[in-house]
Amino acid sequence: MIAIKEKLPPMTPEEYFTWEEQQLEKHELIDSQVYAMSGGSVNHSRIAIRFTTMVDTHLDTSSCITANSDLRVNIAGTNNYTYPDVSVTCDERDKTTTQYITYPCLIIEVLSPSTESYDRGGKFRMYRKNPILQDYLLVSSTSIEIDLYHKKDTGEWLIINYQAGDTVELKSINLSFPIEQVYRNLDLTPETTP
């Protein structure tokens, strides 16, 4: 999804929640500024749905919560709120809130050409503030390629690049799957702007 800065005055989280309930589109709140979230491509949508379904099915008998892009993530220790494509929390503290979660162990973002640098840079810097986050998955929508940022026990982040023929391993939720499972029957030609 693409984030576009709105020309609105700075907002507190309370003002943001009240205001956004009256909007047709979703908006992120970053440093008191509101950003409209526009739609993604067909591949973006299909990949996000596949991950949501696969992860939710895998965690079906657990107490973890799998969320799609309709649930906000509060960046731990801040008043910033984002809408990742897929998130998972197994933290009991997230069961006391209804409009967002704060302690996901897994966040998945499907990349688009307009957001890739932000997802890899500024957004990841924000997400890393979460002490519970173990896996941050960046998924290409134009080629069979997934980058996993995995936090080791030492606190260092390891980057693993998965490509065709690889098995992706998400230690945060104990899930392994062949990468092709996500990309089956997709047209992987580069996206063009209409």
Side-chain angles (χ1 to χ4, degrees), residues 86-135:
V86 182
S87 58
V88 173
T89 181
C90 302
D91 196 292
E92 289 298 316
R93 293 171 287 184
D94 283 328
K95 295 182 180 161
T96 63
T97 58
T98 59
Q99 294 185 318
Y100 60 88
I101 60 172
T102 304
Y103 303 101
C105 58
L106 168 65
I107 292 177
I108 301 171
E109 295 281 8
V110 181
L111 300 173
S112 62
S114 61
T115 63
E116 182 170 357
S117 62
Y118 175 57
D119 287 339
R120 290 185 185 282
K123 205 169 206 181
F124 180 50
R125 277 191 295 279
M126 284 192 296
Y127 286 147
R128 283 194 322 228
K129 293 178 182 180
N130 175 352
I132 305 300
L133 184 65
Q134 292 178 305
D135 289 326

Side-chain angles (χ1 to χ4, degrees), residues 159-174:
I159 303 171
I160 304 167
N161 176 263
Y162 294 103
Q163 298 181 9
D166 290 340
T167 298
V168 178
E169 183 179 2
L170 300 176
K171 291 182 180 178
S172 57
I173 59 170
N174 195 28

Side-chain angles (χ1 to χ4, degrees), residues 45-63:
S45 175
R46 293 180 73 190
I47 291 168
I49 287 170
R50 286 179 181 167
F51 267 109
T52 304
T53 303
M54 177 174 49
V55 170
D56 192 52
T57 301
H58 173 71
L59 296 172
D60 187 43
T61 59
S62 76
S63 63

Side-chain angles (χ1 to χ4, degrees), residues 4-9 19 25 27 33-37:
I4 302 165
K5 186 175 180 181
E6 292 281 337
K7 295 180 180 176
L8 296 167
W19 175 82
E25 300 89 21
H27 299 78
Q33 297 297 311
V34 175
Y35 294 83
M37 303 303 295

